[in-house]
Amino acid sequence: MAARGSRRVGEDEQERTVRARAAVVAAATDRFVAHGYAATSIGQISADSGVPSATVYRLFATKLGILSAAMDVAIAGDADPVPVAQRPVVEAALADETPRGKVAGFVSIMVAINQRISALYWVVFRAADVDEGARDLLHSLDSQRSRGQRQLARALDESGALAPGMSLPEAEDLIHALMSPETFRLLVTQRGWSPDRYADWLTDVLTHQLLG
């Protein structure tokens, strides 16, 4: 009985930790987007989330740690630690039998990600001008995105689908630029395109550029 009770206590503690992390990330995301990174304090995040400051520090150590965790959740759409690149939806897109199907599937994934991260990404982007930690985070996010999007270029290359004369590095560059948060923000946020219109346009452009 003692062992079972101890296990239950451990499970309760783990559940409380998960709920506290989620509350802090949600409150911080709202604060960062509404007021910016520099103007947001851990005290404010603590008050908004209902999680004591000591617990916030224990879970994340720094405000930058909270921002990084918030970006991870926004990218993935949940707090599951499995990287997006290893998730079934990505594997399914890359396994499509047709080159255009691979492109369209990958575009759908990236549009959904850009919808989730757009506002928070620009918090990081603006903070990077004045904060070295945020600058490092922005660089890390860009590298992470590059590695993930490289999967599409390699899948097309390995299947012999790339247009004649199209090198793998050039394909990676095109995908990286056109699927970027910057392009999404320009067309969807600033120019008023719907995400569906953007997805259709992006699929057509990438198909034409990459496949010929």
Side-chain angles (χ1 to χ4, degrees):
M1 289 296 294
R4 183 178 300 175
S6 298
R7 184 163 57 250
R8 182 57 195 169
V9 169
E11 290 173 352
D12 288 345
E13 178 63 28
Q14 186 177 24
E15 290 170 2
R16 285 195 294 270
T17 297
V18 169
R19 288 196 298 270
R21 285 185 63 90
V24 170
V25 165
T29 298
D30 290 344
R31 273 275 173 185
F32 289 146
V33 171
H35 304 287
Y37 178 71
T40 297
S41 70
I42 287 184
Q44 291 169 331
I45 295 171
S46 170
D48 290 352
S49 65
V51 178
S53 293
T55 302
V56 175
Y57 279 109
R58 177 174 61 81
L59 293 174
F60 299 97
T62 65
K63 187 171 70 170
L64 183 66
I66 301 174
L67 179 60
S68 179
M71 279 299 307
D72 287 344
V73 170
I75 291 169
D78 55 50
D80 192 324
V82 178
V84 172
Q86 297 175 16
R87 296 194 174 199
V89 65
V90 174
E91 295 175 355
L94 297 177
D96 194 281
E97 295 182 356
T98 66
R100 183 181 174 88
K102 294 182 195 297
V103 173
F106 218 81
V107 164
S108 178
I109 294 166
M110 293 308 302
V111 169
I113 289 175
N114 277 324
Q115 284 182 271
R116 292 194 298 267
I117 72 169
S118 185
L120 194 57
Y121 177 85
W122 287 98
V123 170
V124 181
F125 189 86
R126 289 190 295 269
D129 285 338
V130 295
D131 186 278
E132 184 177 357
R135 190 156 52 247
D136 290 341
L137 175 58
L138 183 64
H139 177 73
S140 176
L141 291 170
D142 188 67
S143 297
Q144 175 183 328
R145 181 169 66 84
S146 180
R147 288 193 300 271
Q149 292 173 344
R150 192 174 296 140
Q151 292 177 287
L152 175 59
R154 288 180 174 175
L156 294 173
D157 184 50
E158 290 169 1
S159 64
L162 289 180
M166 172 69 66
S167 68
L168 180 58
E170 185 179 359
E172 292 174 356
D173 288 346
L174 285 171
I175 293 168
H176 189 69
L178 292 171
M179 286 189 176
S180 69
E182 290 85 354
T183 303
F184 179 88
R185 179 178 175 82
L186 174 64
L187 293 177
V188 177
T189 305
Q190 297 182 351
R191 304 302 297 179
W193 285 25
S194 70
D196 286 344
R197 180 187 179 189
Y198 172 72
D200 290 343
W201 169 82
L202 185 55
T203 299
D204 287 343
V205 171
L206 284 174
T207 298
H208 176 73
Q209 290 292 320
L210 298 175
L211 309 180

